[in-house]
Structures are given as structure tokens and as C-alpha cells.
Amino acid sequence: MSRDDDQTWAELIDSFHAAPSDGDQPWPAAEELGPDDGLEEGVRPDDFRDASVTLGSLTERGAAPDPPVEAPASGGIDDAAAEEAANHFVPPVPAPIPRGDRIQRLAWAAVIAPPIALIIVAIMSWRPSDEIVLFAVVAFVAGFVTLVARMRGHHPNDPDDGAVI
């Protein structure tokens, strides 16, 4: 940085920390409110700058706060609990998980079992024969292809289009 940049930066930082003088306004003069600038009767422009405006001064102008909500006179804890229980959502019992047919179960077994078996073999530091590794890979690929091939496709007559954008 050059000397001018350092001096400009120091002046900028000093201006942030300097206290404003009495004549300075932190807003443009066009935004200054006059005594008759469309304010309600009884409201002074100073009310917006002064933190001493209280709810008491608001109620004097007619802007009363909402009345407190009272509990029902005849209701007790049991009535409130009964009302909450009546309005509480209870989801329906979910449908049972479909078991699938024999081919689908075998395909899932072919996708899950070979990787688990090969991980166990690797952990135990065993050296399986090449035929066993080939069988595991072929079983996994065949199971995966079977599951993908048997997926339900989108039918044009299906009323459920899902999330169509």
C-alpha cells in the first residue's frame, strides 16, 4: 500500500470512531421530519428517536394492547387434556412390508451376501480361490440387474405423476 492509501485508511478508521457533533445528522436533510409531516395527532417526531415511549403513551392514543386471554371458567385440566386428545393426529397403521416373490428375494440376497462375504474374507486375511471371487461378483451383478429389470416403470395410465415440475 502506498503512503496515500495508508493515510486515507487511517482517516476512515478515525471517522468511524469519532463522536458526532451536535449539528451533524446521520441522515439526509430531505428525510428530516417537520412538525406537520402527516403524523398522528399527539405524536411528536422525537417519539421515534426517544426510547422512553412506553405502552402507556400508546394506550393514550387509542392503540390499546390486546386483552389477556383467559382460561374457560368451567374447564379443568381433564377438559383440556380431553380436547387436546380429540384434536391430536394419530397416523394410520402403516401397510405391511411386501415380502416379494422368490426371484426378488434371491436377487436381494445376491446383492447383499457377496459383498458381506468378501469383506469378512478380507478381514480374516483369507485368500479365496479365483472361482469363489468370480462367483461372488457374478452373483452381485446378476442380482443387481434382476432388481433393476423388475422395477416398476411409469405407465401412461398411472394417475400418480409424482412431483412433476
Side-chain angles (χ1 to χ4, degrees), residues 110-135:
V111 167
I112 294 172
I116 291 174
L118 291 177
I119 289 172
I120 291 173
V121 166
I123 289 173
M124 298 295 199
S125 297
W126 293 339
R127 173 79 175 120
S129 65
D130 292 340
E131 292 84 17
I132 292 176
V133 174
L134 178 66
F135 176 74

Side-chain angles (χ1 to χ4, degrees), residues 65-73 83:
D66 294 334
V69 178
E70 296 180 16
E83 183 179 341

Side-chain angles (χ1 to χ4, degrees), residues 46-105:
D46 294 334
D47 289 343
F48 296 107
R49 295 185 202 121
D50 190 9
S52 65
V53 176
T54 61
L55 287 178
S57 64
L58 290 175
T59 57
E60 292 170 3
R61 290 193 307 252
D66 294 334
V69 178
E70 296 180 16
S74 64
I77 295 174
D78 294 333
D79 292 340
E83 183 179 341
E84 183 178 334
N87 293 333
H88 183 70
F89 173 73
V90 178
V93 177
I97 297 174
R99 291 196 41 110
D101 59 348
R102 181 174 291 166
I103 295 173
Q104 188 176 14
R105 287 187 296 218

